[in-house]
Amino acid sequence: MNSFLSKFVKKFKNNAECPEKEKCLEILSLVVDGEANSEQKTYVKNHIKDCMPCNKEYEVEKAIKELLQEKCVGKAPSDLLESIKTKINQSPI
Amino acid sequence: MSNEEKDINKHTKSEKDRVFNEEFLPHINSMYNFGYRLTFDEDDAKDLVQDTYLKAYRFIDSFQEGTNAKAWLFRILKNSFINDFRKKSKQPAKVDYQEIESYYNSDDVDKTITTDLRVETVQDMIGDEISNALNSLDVDFRTVIILCDLEGFKYDEMAKILDIPIGTVRSRLHRARNLLKENLRDYANKMGYK
């Protein structure tokens, strides 16, 4: 493939919707969740180099997961642990 | 104690306490967070977590050491929430599950959301936005996001916690994420993110 054609193909891939969107997104989620096998990981790694829509989806999914982990976890109130221990000590064996 | 009773109560009190302190109590923050995001009420969440720990202690002999204590506790908490808490709680629902379930069960939510949500937009979001987006999901969808994304459970662990097939875990997670993205996109639009 000459360089002009390869650039054209790459540009087309970058802007068009991924023809295998559903399949890709399913595998992207597996990768983001650490559930993908090595074949699926390789597929995603290679695919998102050229497919901008999937690349974007992958980055968005990762960012949402990171944000959830960072912002949506909290600590139990300090009195809860003591209250549980007290109840346990009062309970029969 | 008769021999029969000794067989049933395999652990002595000190063994029970050791397992409880070493295996169960370290998960109290995750348990509380799960309880809070199910009930949206601090006192209810505390009651739910306390009930869960008391049940865990009472049934400690059915816990196999070396297996996943956190998943075991989450399963008890989830069942307590469904069987005890939601039945007992006759107060006006803080979230009208039925109303939103009918919407969420429509086919629209199965479409894959590839909106104009950008990674930079997500990264710029503050805690309240993502937290509100999560909280506004129906309880079943909220639960899979909490288990997977906040707590890092694997799909097979989630299937056991929720008593559903692994395929359902995946499809529910897919739906939940689409809905979460929709919520985030709405926030982004309201806030004027580009």
Side-chain angles (χ1 to χ4, degrees):
Chain A
M1 198 185 292
N2 66 39
S3 67
F4 173 77
L5 194 57
S6 94
K7 270 185 197 164
F8 175 79
V9 169
K10 196 162 186 176
K11 194 174 177 199
F12 174 77
K13 278 188 178 175
N14 284 352
N15 292 312
E17 190 165 270
C18 177
E20 295 190 275
K21 187 172 79 175
E22 288 298 328
K23 178 191 158 199
C24 286
L25 288 174
E26 202 184 320
I27 303 175
L28 289 183
S29 290
L30 295 178
V31 173
V32 172
D33 291 338
E35 297 272 348
N37 60 32
S38 57
E39 194 186 331
Q40 290 164 327
K41 281 184 207 160
T42 308
Y43 171 81
V44 167
K45 194 177 157 197
N46 292 330
H47 180 75
I48 62 175
K49 277 183 200 162
D50 288 337
C51 180
M52 279 315 282
C54 286
N55 190 317
K56 195 188 114 184
E57 260 335 285
Y58 178 68
E59 294 299 330
V60 166
E61 291 237 343
K62 261 199 327 185
I64 292 174
K65 197 176 178 96
E66 281 164 16
L67 198 65
L68 284 164
Q69 282 167 349
E70 192 186 332
K71 306 287 187 185
C72 295
V73 294
K75 280 195 168 181
S78 53
D79 58 341
L80 183 59
L81 183 65
E82 279 315 308
S83 137
I84 290 169
K85 282 183 173 174
T86 306
K87 284 258 162 82
I88 294 293
N89 286 333
Q90 288 167 352
S91 76
I93 297 173
Chain B
M1 186 184 285
S2 70
N3 284 339
E4 200 176 77
E5 279 172 322
K6 271 181 193 165
D7 284 345
I8 293 167
N9 294 314
K10 282 180 269 177
H11 290 81
T12 62
K13 170 102 172 78
S14 65
E15 281 171 339
K16 272 186 171 189
D17 289 347
R18 179 189 59 76
V19 173
F20 191 81
N21 290 331
E22 288 176 7
E23 301 256 10
F24 296 172
L25 285 183
H27 302 296
I28 193 165
N29 289 333
S30 294
M31 297 282 284
Y32 177 77
N33 199 40
F34 187 32
Y36 182 74
R37 290 199 181 271
L38 290 176
T39 61
F40 298 132
D41 183 279
E42 288 180 18
D43 290 332
D44 289 343
K46 279 160 85 171
D47 287 346
L48 195 53
V49 172
Q50 193 164 276
D51 285 352
T52 302
Y53 272 110
L54 289 175
K55 281 181 192 165
Y57 189 79
R58 198 181 316 143
F59 298 109
I60 209 160
D61 288 330
S62 60
F63 169 72
Q64 287 183 308
E65 270 193 90
T67 61
N68 191 332
K70 186 176 167 185
W72 194 72
L73 292 169
F74 266 67
R75 191 167 190 271
I76 298 174
L77 192 149
K78 185 268 305 179
N79 287 335
S80 295
F81 174 68
I82 292 169
N83 298 327
D84 304 337
F85 184 82
R86 279 175 78 178
K87 276 182 195 162
K88 259 190 270 173
S89 173
K90 294 294 179 195
Q91 62 201 338
K94 285 152 194 152
V95 177
D96 188 339
Y97 295 118
Q98 289 201 328
E99 190 182 307
I100 52 176
E101 263 171 8
S102 59
Y103 165 70
Y104 285 136
N105 287 333
S106 67
D107 290 339
D108 287 353
V109 293
D110 278 338
K111 283 188 291 187
T112 300
I113 309 294
T114 46
T115 59
D116 51 356
L117 194 58
R118 298 169 54 190
V119 66
E120 295 85 357
T121 304
V122 175
Q123 285 165 344
D124 282 348
M125 285 187 172
I126 57 168
D128 284 354
E129 291 160 345
I130 186 81
S131 189
N132 290 340
L134 173 64
N135 290 351
S136 63
L137 296 180
D138 159 62
V139 67
D140 286 340
F141 296 125
R142 197 163 69 239
T143 298
V144 288
I145 298 269
I146 294 168
L147 297 181
C148 183
D149 293 334
L150 273 62
E151 300 301 338
F153 283 112
K154 309 306 286 180
Y155 293 173
D156 61 339
E157 292 167 339
M158 290 168 69
K160 283 181 195 157
I161 292 169
L162 301 174
D163 286 316
I164 54 176
I166 203 162
T168 309
V169 169
R170 284 163 67 157
S171 59
R172 198 175 286 179
L173 201 50
H174 180 68
R175 264 189 175 199
R177 285 187 172 142
N178 278 349
L179 292 162
L180 188 71
K181 277 188 229 170
E182 265 189 13
N183 287 345
L184 290 175
R185 187 201 52 195
D186 289 347
Y187 278 114
N189 289 344
K190 267 187 220 155
M191 300 300 288
Y193 286 114
K194 294 289 176 194

